[in-house]
Amino acid sequence: MADSAPMTVPDLVALKRAGRKIVALTCYDALFARLLDDEVDVLLVGDSVNQVVAGRDTTLSATLDQMIYHAAAVRRGSRRALVFVDLPFLSYQVTVPEAIRNAGRVLQESGAHGVKLEGGQPMAATVRALVDVGIPVMGHLGLTPQSVHQLGGYRVQGREAATAGRLLEDAQALEAAGACALVLELVPAALAARISKALTIPTIGIGAGPGCDGQVLVLHDMLGLNEGFEPKFLKRYGELARTVREAARAYAAEVRGGRYPGPEHSFE
């Protein structure tokens, strides 16, 4: 169980300095936030909600209002975990003032603690501008889902020497710009460990090996709810899809058989 005191943004760096791994999971609603809050350090309201909950093929059509809605729900269900929210595609890439306005809306309307955005050196000025007005920023490098078409699909990034060197430079640029943490997605384990050692801010890996300062998984994948999705990096800690199907089957059988509701479920 995590410590009971509410997490703060500076605690992320303190955890890295102490050599304690950071635990993160995605979360999109108040119910799961309440269930996870005592066990994790960070709840990430990812734009993956657009795929996992809304059924879209990519994250690209996620909207700012959508992210704020889910982030507000997560904050209502959490009391100690840090809540970071993905800024959706085109909400921060167009102009710096627009990025500040949109990130500010996220914090103001949802109560979240910070935002996450994708990209390296080209995003450094935006990160600096957000941090300068008091908005904590988590970076995201490696496989960046908002650039999936440019990258040619969901593929490991940084296997070539030139790309690996660029990822390290991107990570250092984000740290210099004031980012408080960095997600590394689908990055070779040795490279992720190298980046983690080069930074004073923590790295949180997903498909990036054990050398990162923490780990994050998509909640529904970790629980075994997302049937058919079995990437190499994923470990399922539950098989809830099977549990849900069995419960629904039992319920349907009792309703059709007239066994539910019984007298104990009815009012006189």
Side-chain angles (χ1 to χ4, degrees), residues 34 62 110 150 197 214 218 236 244:
R34 285 196 294 270
S110 74
Q150 183 184 47
K197 290 179 181 178
V218 172
R236 289 182 173 175
V244 170

Side-chain angles (χ1 to χ4, degrees), residues 84-104:
F84 275 78
V85 185
D86 275 355
L87 292 178
F89 183 58
L90 290 186
S91 68
Y92 60 94
Q93 296 99 329
V94 180
T95 67
V96 170
E98 186 172 355
I100 294 173
R101 185 181 308 111
N102 290 333

Side-chain angles (χ1 to χ4, degrees), residues 191-268:
L191 174 59
R194 179 184 170 199
I195 292 172
S196 300
K197 290 179 181 178
L199 303 179
T200 59
I201 61 172
T203 60
I204 301 174
I206 177 168
C212 294
D213 302 303
Q215 299 293 327
V216 64
L217 284 174
V218 172
L219 175 64
H220 294 63
D221 300 343
M222 184 273 285
L223 293 176
L225 284 166
N226 194 2
E227 293 180 305
F229 184 66
E230 299 177 354
K232 181 178 181 179
F233 66 83
L234 175 63
K235 179 176 180 179
R236 289 182 173 175
Y237 289 83
E239 293 294 342
L240 296 196
R242 182 171 60 218
T243 301
V244 170
R245 290 183 185 280
E246 290 173 352
R249 188 177 300 116
Y251 166 71
E254 291 198 3
V255 170
R256 290 173 181 139
R259 298 188 300 278
Y260 177 81
E264 68 274 27
H265 308 115
S266 303
F267 301 96
E268 294 183 0

Side-chain angles (χ1 to χ4, degrees), residues 3-87:
D3 295 335
S4 59
M7 285 284 295
T8 68
V9 173
D11 286 339
L12 294 176
V13 174
L15 288 175
K16 173 167 181 153
R17 288 176 179 165
R20 176 179 160 187
K21 296 289 188 178
I22 295 167
V23 180
L25 282 169
T26 67
C27 190
Y28 315 119
D29 60 63
L31 174 59
F32 271 119
R34 285 196 294 270
L35 294 173
L36 300 173
D37 192 55
D38 284 335
E39 307 301 334
V40 305
D41 303 307
V42 177
L43 293 172
L44 175 60
V45 187
D47 55 3
S48 51
V49 67
N50 205 44
Q51 296 169 289
V52 175
V53 175
R56 301 285 188 174
D57 291 333
T58 71
T59 65
L60 293 172
S61 60
T63 68
L64 194 65
D65 287 341
Q66 181 184 18
M67 299 310 302
I68 291 171
Y69 171 86
H70 287 282
V74 170
R75 279 295 287 130
R76 285 192 288 271
S78 63
R79 59 179 179 79
R80 62 158 302 281
L82 282 173
V83 176
F84 275 78
V85 185
D86 275 355
L87 292 178

